Amino acid sequence: MEKYEKMVAAKKEKSEEMVEQAIKTMEDMYNANIKISVAELVRKTNLSRGFFYNNPIVKQRMLELKTNQEGKVLVTPKGEAIAKAQEKRIQTLERKLSESVPISTYNELLDKYKKLQADYKNMKTTKMLNVYENL
C-alpha cells in the first residue's frame, strides 16, 4: 500500500509541475504580447492539447489571459517568421535593384521609399489612435 501512495504522490507532484509550467508559459506569452493559443502552448511546453482543455486550473487561467488580450495588438509567431522572410526578400530585391539601376536613380527611389514608409507609419498610428478614441 505504501508503494501505491508513493506512486500517487509522485504523479500528483508531476501534475503540479506541469500546471506550473503551463501557467508560467501562458503568463510569459501574455507579458510579451504573444497571442495565446493552444497550438503555440503545445509547441512551447511539449504538453498535450488535451492537457490545456481538460485541466480546469490551466483552462481557466488560459481563458482569463486570452480575455485580457482581446483588443490588444499581439505578435503571432507565424507573423514574425513571415515578416523576417519578407524583410530578407526586400533586402535581396534592393540589392538587385541597386545593381541594375544607376546610383543616382537608386538614391532618388530610396528617398521616396523612406518617405512613403514614414507616411505609412504616421497613417497607421493615426488610424490606431482614431480606433481607440472611438471605443
Side-chain angles (χ1 to χ4, degrees), residues 125-135:
T125 304
T126 304
K127 188 174 184 180
M128 291 300 293
L129 290 175
N130 288 340
V131 168
Y132 286 120
E133 288 174 0
N134 291 334
L135 292 178

Side-chain angles (χ1 to χ4, degrees), residues 73-85:
V73 177
L74 302 173
V75 175
T76 58
K78 280 186 180 178
E80 289 277 314
I82 291 170
K84 286 180 184 178

Side-chain angles (χ1 to χ4, degrees), residues 49-91:
R49 292 180 69 82
F51 178 81
F52 291 98
Y53 291 114
N54 297 330
N55 187 300
I57 296 168
V58 172
K59 184 177 182 179
Q60 178 64 33
R61 186 65 180 143
M62 180 175 60
L63 292 175
E64 288 171 6
L65 292 174
K66 286 177 86 170
T67 302
N68 290 344
Q69 282 187 333
E70 289 178 7
K72 289 186 176 182
V73 177
L74 302 173
V75 175
T76 58
K78 280 186 180 178
E80 289 277 314
I82 291 170
K84 286 180 184 178
Q86 288 176 337
E87 184 64 32
K88 190 171 183 176
R89 177 145 171 80
I90 288 170
Q91 290 172 353

